[in-house]
Amino acid sequence: MEQQLDELIGFLSSPRPDVRQLAATYIVDFSEPRSEYFNQLLNNIDKLVKPLLIICHEIPVAASKAMNTLVNLSTDATVCRRFVDEDIISMIVRMITSSSCYVADPASMLLSNLTKNADICKLLTTLTVGEVPGICSSQMAMDQLTDVFVKGMDKKYNKNASYNFLSSVFADVTNYSFGRSYFLERTTYDGKLPITKIMVFSEYPEVIRRGGVDSTMKNVCFAKDKHKEILDPNETNMLPYILLPLCGPEEFEMEDMESMPEEIQLLGEDKKREYDPKLRSILLEAINLLCTTYYGRQVLRAKNVYYVIREMHKVEGDDTCIELSERAVQLIQGEESSNTKDEQPENDDAFEEI
């Protein structure tokens, strides 16, 4: 069987479209990580990547099989390193941002696998590609991915794609200071902060989209020197979008509620709290990160965040969330000393998540 598989790999590069397309439909079954032939494909990865990417531009059935093969193979870290190539990443970005690409969503999934590699994250934040009419006037790949994530939700841009997996790309990129800088600095083409474009999805019904957004919000909170901008209602104003998923139908005393962000006041008895404990813990981690600066703690006190956490804690059943809630309360409600008041934000590079 190994010899036949080698021959099948060779057929992917056939000059005949029907031959390479047929090969693509067969090879996908061997690419499952649990397949006994998975390692044989890994050993031939240099013969697979570009031929499969080419087939992704051909008939839909073959394109889907080829992209699924790439998604399967990219679950291996050694494979991801083979994608650290400007031309290859550009090709993937163009597939994602095309309004007619049949495999735009699987391509987003592929990119979300690849961005587990730090070099690809770095490449993505500096990569330029051609402008895409209908998306944005920028040639920066990250600008295009951010805008297609927003404009393409619910298949509004490409009938074959919802782009939910791009939120995982954003979460991966913001594991690094250069990625956090991208999301917290205004773009040159529209003057907006990229984080403000995506944070509005923190209560989106689709869990993959909102989960990646939650992680991105948490990660940018590692930028301690940006806490003032993150919490400024006239700048980023991210706090309401961290708190909204943590709020339930509870009613607050009027004097307590008046100091809360307007977006979380008078939510009504039908308000549902985030049901996924993992996502609740991510949002609580974001609050704890904002508590690492005196400015952050002061804002959270002034906005009565304590009462939101208190009500959540009353009904919380997840041990991790309970611990994070109690830690945040200790930081918000705790006494400040002269040392904590005088603390200076540390360089963002000191908080890289490796």
Side-chain angles (χ1 to χ4, degrees):
M1 188 61 198
E2 292 184 3
Q3 182 179 347
Q4 289 92 325
L5 186 55
D6 284 337
E7 292 176 356
L8 191 60
I9 292 171
F11 289 147
L12 293 172
S13 300
S14 171
R16 289 178 51 184
D18 59 329
V19 172
R20 60 178 180 262
Q21 291 164 10
L22 187 61
T25 62
Y26 281 110
I27 205 164
V28 65
D29 292 333
F30 299 101
S31 68
E32 292 283 346
R34 61 179 176 273
S35 167
E36 62 181 302
Y37 301 103
F38 184 72
N39 287 333
Q40 186 177 348
L41 291 185
L42 295 186
N43 294 333
N44 288 276
I45 193 64
D46 291 333
K47 300 177 183 178
L48 289 168
V49 174
K50 289 190 176 180
L52 286 170
L53 284 172
I54 291 171
I55 297 171
C56 286
H57 292 82
E58 299 180 356
I59 62 173
V61 172
S64 179
K65 298 293 186 181
M67 183 56 74
N68 288 342
T69 300
L70 289 169
V71 171
N72 289 340
L73 293 173
S74 64
T75 58
D76 184 271
T78 60
V79 170
C80 291
R81 290 197 287 270
R82 305 300 179 92
F83 282 80
V84 185
D85 180 283
E86 188 171 313
D87 291 336
I88 290 176
I89 299 300
S90 295
M91 189 182 299
I92 295 170
V93 170
R94 283 194 290 269
M95 282 191 281
I96 293 171
T97 58
S98 168
S99 62
S100 59
C101 181
Y102 185 76
V103 293
D105 251 2
S108 300
M109 190 182 303
L110 171 62
L111 190 60
S112 74
N113 285 347
L114 297 177
T115 49
K116 302 301 181 288
N117 179 286
D119 292 331
I120 291 178
C121 288
K122 182 67 174 178
L123 172 60
L124 199 57
T125 56
T126 58
L127 182 67
T128 58
V129 291
E131 289 184 19
V132 182
I135 293 297
C136 68
S137 59
S138 171
Q139 293 186 353
M140 296 297 297
M142 282 298 298
D143 291 340
Q144 294 182 11
L145 293 174
T146 303
D147 280 8
V148 80
F149 176 75
V150 176
K151 297 177 181 179
M153 69 170 185
D154 299 329
K155 301 184 177 181
K156 293 177 181 177
Y157 173 71
N158 181 334
K159 65 180 182 179
N160 301 304
S162 298
Y163 301 103
N164 295 323
F165 276 95
L166 287 181
S167 66
S168 298
V169 173
F170 304 150
D172 290 336
V173 168
T174 51
N175 277 331
Y176 307 97
S177 59
F178 54 79
R180 295 192 281 272
S181 294
Y182 168 75
F183 277 96
L184 293 174
E185 294 176 2
R186 295 188 182 276
T187 61
T188 57
Y189 75 98
D190 67 0
K192 296 180 180 178
L193 294 161
I195 190 64
T196 63
K197 297 179 181 181
I198 71 168
M199 66 187 186
V200 296
F201 296 105
S202 67
E203 288 199 300
Y204 191 76
E206 215 290 320
V207 67
I208 294 174
R209 176 173 283 249
R210 73 175 187 274
V213 167
D214 289 350
S215 293
T216 304
M217 291 195 298
K218 181 203 77 172
N219 287 345
V220 299
C221 291
F222 276 94
K224 296 177 71 173
D225 58 330
K226 292 288 187 178
H227 280 190
K228 185 172 183 178
E229 290 87 343
I230 287 171
L231 293 168
D232 188 342
N234 299 314
E235 190 72 8
T236 307
N237 194 33
M238 199 169 76
L239 183 60
Y241 299 96
I242 295 174
L243 295 177
L244 271 169
L246 301 178
C247 292
E250 300 85 9
E251 293 185 6
F252 297 99
E253 295 292 335
M254 186 60 67
E255 60 180 327
D256 296 331
M257 185 179 62
E258 286 178 346
S259 296
M260 295 177 180
E262 291 182 6
E263 294 86 347
I264 70 169
Q265 296 181 19
L266 302 173
L267 294 177
E269 60 184 17
D270 59 343
K271 175 66 173 69
K272 297 291 192 298
R273 185 174 282 107
E274 169 60 60
Y275 72 85
D276 190 320
K278 176 61 177 176
L279 300 192
R280 294 198 302 275
S281 70
I282 289 171
L283 295 165
L284 287 167
E285 286 172 3
I287 292 174
N288 275 274
L289 286 168
L290 291 172
C291 287
T292 58
T293 59
Y294 176 63
Y295 179 85
R297 294 190 296 274
Q298 287 291 81
V299 171
L300 297 185
R301 289 177 188 127
K303 296 297 182 180
N304 280 343
V305 171
Y306 161 73
Y307 294 104
V308 174
I309 299 175
R310 182 192 67 183
E311 295 305 309
M312 175 187 172
H313 186 270
K314 289 178 181 178
V315 296
E316 183 57 67
D318 181 78
D319 289 342
T320 300
C321 291
I322 291 172
E323 180 182 346
L324 288 167
S325 298
E326 292 173 353
R327 188 187 307 166
V329 167
Q330 290 173 3
L331 292 167
I332 294 170
Q333 298 295 94
E335 293 281 340
E336 297 284 357
S337 68
S338 58
N339 289 334
T340 59
K341 289 181 180 180
D342 293 336
E343 64 189 8
Q344 295 297 317
E346 299 181 43
N347 187 287
D348 188 25
D349 290 332
F351 294 89
E352 292 288 281
E353 286 191 325
I354 304 300

